[in-house]
Amino acid sequence: ENVIKCVLGVRAGRSATDDQSAHSRGSSKLVSLHWTPLSGDQLHNSVFKAAKALNSEDADPSKLVELFQKKPKAAKQKVQRSDDSSSVSSKARLLDLNRSNNVAISLKAYKDFTYAQLADVIKYLDPLGRLESERIPFLRDLLPTQTEIKAVVDYDGTDDRLVPAELWFRQIANIKRIEVKVKVMQTMAMLKVEANSVMESLRLLTRVCNQVMDSEKLQDLLAMVLAIGNIMNEGTRGGRA
């Protein structure tokens, strides 16, 4: 009420009681302004100290309602959730849930391959070099255990009941010695890198040896050590070296 009086004043020809009743009818429709009232020194030291009083005797409080009325609360619509329980229960669930999720995440690193293509890459040791060497070490995360292989092999249902990890394990279940093949692929991928590393170490060792052999200062130092040693060893078997 005080806010409206300060901003709009009391209209001519209307009593404070009339304004109060008008305000009481409209104030509930207005949005709230959140502030802390000032008084005393706080008001004196604020920008409101020099604020000019507004002359709005002819203003209509209904204008505030028009400009700042509360928006009606939208009725909450009930969202009908699809019954996922039926779809989840329809899955075969051959693998542990966490295991299935981890394998599915690892498979995303090879999303440019179908399951059949990736299985052939492993089966034939990637003869075309389709897999970059950086991705080969992660193949071991996609290998099933014997228990998991047995679970997918014994399953006689349809593929639409299988999750991605189970579909993948089913695709590679018949690849013989798959663990060995993945290790061979890792060795093939890392051989060149490791060979280059060894060659660089050998080249460094060669440079160090050449610098030692060609160092004149080192030769002079060793000659001084030899001369002093011969003096110290004079008359013994180690003398005259």
Side-chain angles (χ1 to χ4, degrees), residues 44-100:
H44 181 75
N45 296 325
S46 71
V47 296
F48 294 101
K49 174 186 176 182
K52 296 181 179 180
L54 297 178
N55 184 15
S56 304
E57 294 181 355
D58 296 331
D60 187 354
S62 62
K63 190 65 176 179
L64 285 178
V65 177
E66 178 183 345
L67 295 175
F68 304 108
Q69 64 180 340
K70 295 179 180 179
K71 293 182 179 180
K73 294 183 179 180
K76 294 183 179 179
Q77 298 179 352
K78 293 183 179 181
V79 179
Q80 293 183 351
R81 298 181 180 178
S82 58
D83 189 3
D84 295 335
S85 59
S86 59
S87 60
V88 172
S89 61
S90 65
K91 295 300 182 181
R93 295 186 181 183
L94 304 178
L95 305 177
D96 175 74
L97 180 60
N98 290 334
R99 170 66 166 157
S100 296

Side-chain angles (χ1 to χ4, degrees), residues 2-227:
N2 292 333
V3 174
I4 292 181
K5 286 183 178 179
C6 290
V7 175
L8 301 177
V10 180
R11 295 181 60 186
R14 298 179 62 179
S15 65
T17 305
D18 294 334
D19 288 327
Q20 182 177 359
S21 60
H23 168 60
S24 62
R25 291 193 298 270
S27 61
S28 61
K29 300 179 181 179
L30 301 178
V31 297
S32 300
L33 297 179
H34 300 283
W35 56 38
T36 300
L38 300 179
S39 61
D41 291 340
Q42 291 180 329
L43 179 60
H44 181 75
N45 296 325
S46 71
V47 296
F48 294 101
K49 174 186 176 182
K52 296 181 179 180
L54 297 178
N55 184 15
S56 304
E57 294 181 355
D58 296 331
D60 187 354
S62 62
K63 190 65 176 179
L64 285 178
V65 177
E66 178 183 345
L67 295 175
F68 304 108
Q69 64 180 340
K70 295 179 180 179
K71 293 182 179 180
K73 294 183 179 180
K76 294 183 179 179
Q77 298 179 352
K78 293 183 179 181
V79 179
Q80 293 183 351
R81 298 181 180 178
S82 58
D83 189 3
D84 295 335
S85 59
S86 59
S87 60
V88 172
S89 61
S90 65
K91 295 300 182 181
R93 295 186 181 183
L94 304 178
L95 305 177
D96 175 74
L97 180 60
N98 290 334
R99 170 66 166 157
S100 296
N101 291 337
N102 291 336
V103 173
I105 293 172
S106 298
L107 282 171
K108 291 182 180 180
Y110 308 90
K111 59 184 178 181
D112 48 330
F113 294 88
T114 65
Y115 292 167
Q117 290 171 342
L118 186 57
D120 285 342
V121 166
I122 297 175
K123 183 176 181 180
Y124 300 109
L125 301 178
D126 194 17
L128 301 179
R130 299 180 62 187
L131 267 184
E132 300 87 346
S133 58
E134 294 82 3
R135 291 199 288 178
I136 291 178
F138 299 103
L139 286 175
R140 64 178 179 270
D141 298 329
L142 301 178
L143 300 183
T145 64
Q146 291 299 321
T147 303
E148 292 168 340
I149 291 177
K150 186 178 187 305
V152 297
V153 169
D154 292 345
Y155 172 71
D156 57 0
T158 58
D159 287 351
D160 58 349
R161 297 188 60 210
L162 301 179
V163 296
E166 295 164 348
L167 290 170
W168 165 245
F169 286 168
R170 199 174 193 186
Q171 185 71 51
I172 62 176
N174 295 323
I175 298 179
K176 297 180 179 180
R177 302 184 303 278
I178 187 171
E179 296 88 353
V180 176
K181 290 184 176 182
V182 169
K183 288 182 180 180
V184 170
M185 291 178 64
Q186 291 176 346
T187 301
M188 293 169 60
M190 298 304 297
L191 179 61
K192 185 175 181 180
V193 176
E194 293 178 354
N196 289 338
S197 177
V198 171
M199 289 302 298
E200 181 60 31
S201 297
L202 290 175
R203 284 192 288 267
L204 176 60
L205 180 60
T206 301
R207 289 197 298 270
V208 171
C209 291
N210 290 335
Q211 290 176 3
V212 170
M213 296 299 294
D214 297 338
S215 175
E216 294 181 357
K217 292 183 178 180
L218 180 60
Q219 292 173 5
D220 293 342
L221 175 62
L222 294 178
M224 292 174 60
V225 172
L226 179 60

